[in-house]
Amino acid sequence: MKLPEPRFVDTDGARLAVFEEKPEHRTRDVCVVLCHGFPELAASWRHQLRPIADAGFHVMAPDMRGYGLSSGPEDRSAYSIAETTADVAALIADAGYEKAVVVGHDFGGMVSWMMPYLQPESVAGVITLNTPFGHSRENPVELYEKAYGPRNYVAHFRTPECEEELDKDPARSFRFFMRRDTGAGTNLSRTGRHDPDSMSYIHWLWDDESTWPGELVMSPEELRYYSEAYARTGFGGGLSWYHSILRNWEVQRERFPDGNVPKARVPALLVAARHDPICHPALTDDLLQYFEEFERRMIGTGHWTQLEDPEGTNAILVDWLTRHF
């Protein structure tokens, strides 16, 4: 699996590996930063790097804090949205740009949504794949338990047992997560619904692999790349983002003390995945209230949008980027 050689950027508390492509001639005043989610790597954007560069943009995909070739603090509270958005701002400045379009998927989508509020001087636009906005007036951990029960995946990702099971056999863990629906659901949802059963999906990890529905969305080479990376680091860095959920809520309460989120003045795009029961498209119906200029496009994938349909994802991203910048 071919990726550009990474360069390394020191931020406040982390050293990030950055995989990038540049256009032959710089024609844009903004760069593009691609933020992956869990359990992924910068390599999750490998199909997007060259097409975005060919559209004239300097594009960067970091291994986010705690993942892959990047470092991360041992303090699990140091992975909150305050630190992760600051990491992205540092990458933008290091590359010599004032502003970027920040693109996020899954937990990386939390980074992209919060950039206009926490790093407003560094962001020119926002694109998010799948992820709802994620602002809550109430404790989100308690809300998840109330809505989905104590077995929900967010609660379980914060347990030592889950981390130990994921670390035991990284290749098996990726075979569990990285699947597309072939008619009977995937390990992220057997029903296709956003319900307590689906939101407790992580407990199927302990089942016999022959019972897992769907098919692997990775080639053998890609599976080897991810599993070898996680064999070196373990899943702890990525899971630290889940340990920081309460700190994220505190950061938002500090930023929005009255509980009201003002409309951001940068353009925003959501790419909603029609068959993603975890980040269900219905959970993004309220996004217009957060942005003065907002578009939503639908794509016919499950949760792993840019891996399941790279060409469709690229067409949407490049169209929006070239229209706005």
Side-chain angles (χ1 to χ4, degrees):
M1 188 176 70
K2 186 171 176 55
L3 280 169
E5 284 296 314
R7 64 183 177 87
F8 292 86
V9 177
D10 291 318
T11 68
D12 185 9
R15 186 171 189 253
L16 301 187
V18 183
F19 302 81
E20 62 189 339
E21 294 278 7
K22 297 180 181 180
E24 187 174 346
H25 303 289
R26 177 170 165 174
T27 60
R28 311 288 182 176
D29 292 330
V30 301
C31 61
V32 176
V33 181
L34 306 173
C35 304
H36 68 80
F38 178 86
E40 298 183 82
L41 297 166
S44 297
W45 299 104
R46 61 193 175 278
H47 301 300
Q48 283 67 53
L49 287 171
R50 192 67 249 167
I52 292 174
D54 287 343
F57 295 91
H58 179 178
V59 56
M60 297 178 282
D63 280 343
M64 302 297 281
R65 172 179 291 230
Y67 286 94
L69 297 176
S70 295
S71 69
E74 291 186 14
D75 180 2
R76 303 197 97 155
S77 69
Y79 291 77
S80 82
I81 205 70
E83 287 85 11
T84 54
T85 54
D87 283 345
V88 173
L91 295 185
I92 296 164
D94 180 81
Y97 292 85
E98 289 186 9
K99 295 180 183 291
V101 177
V102 180
V103 185
H105 169 253
D106 187 77
F107 225 133
M110 281 288 291
V111 176
S112 54
W113 285 142
M114 283 294 108
M115 284 294 294
Y117 299 99
L118 301 180
Q119 301 291 336
E121 295 183 357
S122 297
V123 63
V126 170
I127 302 175
T128 298
L129 278 57
N130 305 54
T131 313
F133 192 78
H135 172 65
S136 173
R137 292 171 180 262
E138 301 176 59
N139 181 313
V141 173
E142 293 178 357
L143 279 179
Y144 257 68
E145 182 161 348
K146 189 184 303 180
Y148 306 118
R151 288 169 55 84
N152 73 79
Y153 77 93
V154 170
H156 204 65
F157 277 166
R158 292 153 52 90
T159 66
E161 294 79 14
C162 184
E163 185 171 339
E164 290 168 7
E165 184 67 18
L166 291 170
D167 284 346
K168 186 186 302 181
D169 185 346
R172 182 179 186 274
S173 296
F174 276 97
R175 292 196 300 272
F176 174 83
F177 283 113
M178 311 301 289
R179 305 177 83 83
R180 77 170 98 234
D181 191 354
T182 55
T186 69
N187 285 329
L188 301 188
S189 174
R190 307 286 172 91
T191 64
R193 294 189 297 270
H194 185 85
D195 56 17
D197 186 54
S198 295
M199 297 298 279
S200 300
Y201 74 83
I202 188 58
H203 296 276
W204 296 323
L205 177 65
W206 279 261
D207 293 348
D208 188 280
E209 189 169 343
S210 65
T211 68
W212 297 347
E215 66 181 10
L216 195 62
V217 77
M218 291 177 164
S219 70
E221 182 185 15
E222 291 165 338
L223 176 63
R224 184 166 57 251
Y225 179 91
Y226 280 77
S227 59
E228 288 178 355
Y230 276 76
R232 290 193 303 270
T233 66
F235 283 77
L239 291 170
S240 291
W241 290 54
Y242 287 89
H243 284 267
S244 292
I245 285 177
L246 284 179
R247 177 60 190 146
N248 288 347
W249 181 52
E250 292 169 357
V251 169
Q252 289 187 347
R253 286 198 300 169
E254 292 162 7
R255 179 62 182 83
F256 315 121
D258 63 358
N260 296 314
V261 180
K263 279 194 172 184
R265 296 185 176 182
V266 298
L269 167 69
L270 173 81
V271 182
R274 191 181 306 277
H275 305 296
D276 183 355
I278 299 299
C279 298
H280 195 281
L283 300 174
T284 65
D285 288 344
D286 64 344
L287 278 165
L288 187 59
Q289 70 178 293
Y290 299 116
F291 291 90
E292 292 185 354
E293 186 178 350
F294 175 72
E295 293 179 37
R296 182 168 65 169
R297 300 282 299 276
M298 192 72 73
I299 193 167
T301 69
H303 185 68
W304 312 110
T305 304
Q306 68 270 45
L307 297 177
E308 293 183 44
D309 185 2
E311 292 80 12
T313 301
N314 294 344
I316 293 171
L317 298 185
V318 170
D319 169 71
W320 189 90
L321 286 166
T322 52
R323 281 192 288 111
H324 286 83
F325 301 99

